[in-house]
Amino acid sequence: MKSRKTQLVLDAAGVLIGNLTPLFWEAVAVRSKIDARGIKHRFKLEMRQELWTGQAREEDFWVWMENSFPGSDRNELLPVLQRAIQPLPAWYRLEDWSQVTDLHLLSNHRWEWLAPMLEPMEPFIRSVTISSRTGYCKPDPAIFRIVETYFPSGAQVIYVDDQNKNLEAARSMGWETILADSGQHWLNSIEELCTAKQKTSEDS
């Protein structure tokens, strides 16, 4: 029997919480006197994959930062990182959305950085899949398949991400997708979905 509850899968950075950029990388640039774009590019080449998949520990990230960019003191930069990943508007709608959808979180991130934020939202989120705990990183299909194990058979799936490459991977799994634009207009699409679901529930 097909589930009547939509499975709403949400990315974290850029969708529910802020990205590391530009606040974090600009803070590193100020301290190291190196261009922020160059720092971000080097992170992508040397550390991103290992950090997000859990091959590197959080400690390894900070050691790499301090060795690569002079003046990168983790005691100064960790509070900057925490400020960078503060909640976006969608974060405050999760409780309402959970009333008419099953919510799932799928993110390339560090569990250590997200766990303190996620705790108060646990009652509203059906599953949490974070790359650093799975060994896989979007857009690898393997991490999408992990999330699928939490879906009831035949359910409608909608995935929200701020990067097209991840949306393409989700579409290859047969999921519907919504691009999370920087202007937050995507929220209207989710609100319309939830309103329609609520009305259907009331009419049945």
Side-chain angles (χ1 to χ4, degrees), residues 181-189:
D181 61 287
S182 59
Q184 305 294 310
H185 300 298
W186 70 272
L187 295 175
N188 295 330
S189 299

Side-chain angles (χ1 to χ4, degrees), residues 142-183:
I143 197 168
F144 290 88
R145 286 195 288 268
I146 291 173
V147 183
E148 281 195 321
T149 65
Y150 298 105
F151 301 159
S153 177
Q156 177 191 25
V157 183
I158 296 177
Y159 176 59
V160 183
D161 200 296
D162 65 330
Q163 295 190 44
N164 277 310
K165 64 181 180 180
N166 296 330
L167 296 178
E168 290 172 6
R171 285 193 289 270
S172 73
M173 306 291 291
W175 301 3
E176 296 179 42
T177 61
I178 295 175
L179 177 66
D181 61 287
S182 59

Side-chain angles (χ1 to χ4, degrees), residues 20 24-25 39-69 110 113 137:
L20 290 183
F24 180 74
W25 300 123
I39 295 171
K40 182 180 177 182
H41 179 68
R42 189 167 170 187
F43 169 74
K44 287 183 175 181
L45 290 178
E46 299 179 10
M47 178 54 65
R48 178 186 178 276
Q49 183 76 12
E50 289 76 10
L51 183 68
W52 291 155
T53 60
Q55 296 175 49
R57 302 168 302 163
E58 182 191 15
E59 172 70 14
D60 296 329
F61 168 72
W62 290 116
V63 170
W64 175 81
M65 288 289 299
E66 291 170 351
N67 290 338
S68 301
F69 310 113
R110 293 298 306 190
W113 299 343
C137 183

Side-chain angles (χ1 to χ4, degrees), residues 65-191:
M65 288 289 299
E66 291 170 351
N67 290 338
S68 301
F69 310 113
S72 297
D73 185 334
R74 76 184 77 185
N75 294 321
E76 294 181 359
L77 289 173
L78 184 57
V80 178
L81 184 149
Q82 292 168 336
R83 288 197 300 274
I85 61 174
Q86 288 302 300
L88 295 174
W91 183 262
Y92 302 102
R93 305 194 191 190
L94 292 180
E95 182 175 0
D96 290 340
W97 292 350
S98 72
Q99 302 305 307
V100 290
T101 68
D102 286 337
L103 294 177
H104 304 268
L105 184 61
L106 169 59
S107 183
N108 289 345
H109 225 291
R110 293 298 306 190
W111 176 254
E112 302 93 327
W113 299 343
L114 291 184
M117 297 181 63
L118 291 176
E119 186 174 355
M121 291 299 178
E122 285 180 357
F124 314 119
I125 301 176
R126 193 179 189 93
S127 75
V128 176
T129 304
I130 306 299
S131 62
S132 69
R133 302 215 308 181
T134 67
Y136 301 107
C137 183
K138 294 182 296 182
D140 189 329
I143 197 168
F144 290 88
R145 286 195 288 268
I146 291 173
V147 183
E148 281 195 321
T149 65
Y150 298 105
F151 301 159
S153 177
Q156 177 191 25
V157 183
I158 296 177
Y159 176 59
V160 183
D161 200 296
D162 65 330
Q163 295 190 44
N164 277 310
K165 64 181 180 180
N166 296 330
L167 296 178
E168 290 172 6
R171 285 193 289 270
S172 73
M173 306 291 291
W175 301 3
E176 296 179 42
T177 61
I178 295 175
L179 177 66
D181 61 287
S182 59
Q184 305 294 310
H185 300 298
W186 70 272
L187 295 175
N188 295 330
S189 299
I190 304 301
E191 294 295 337

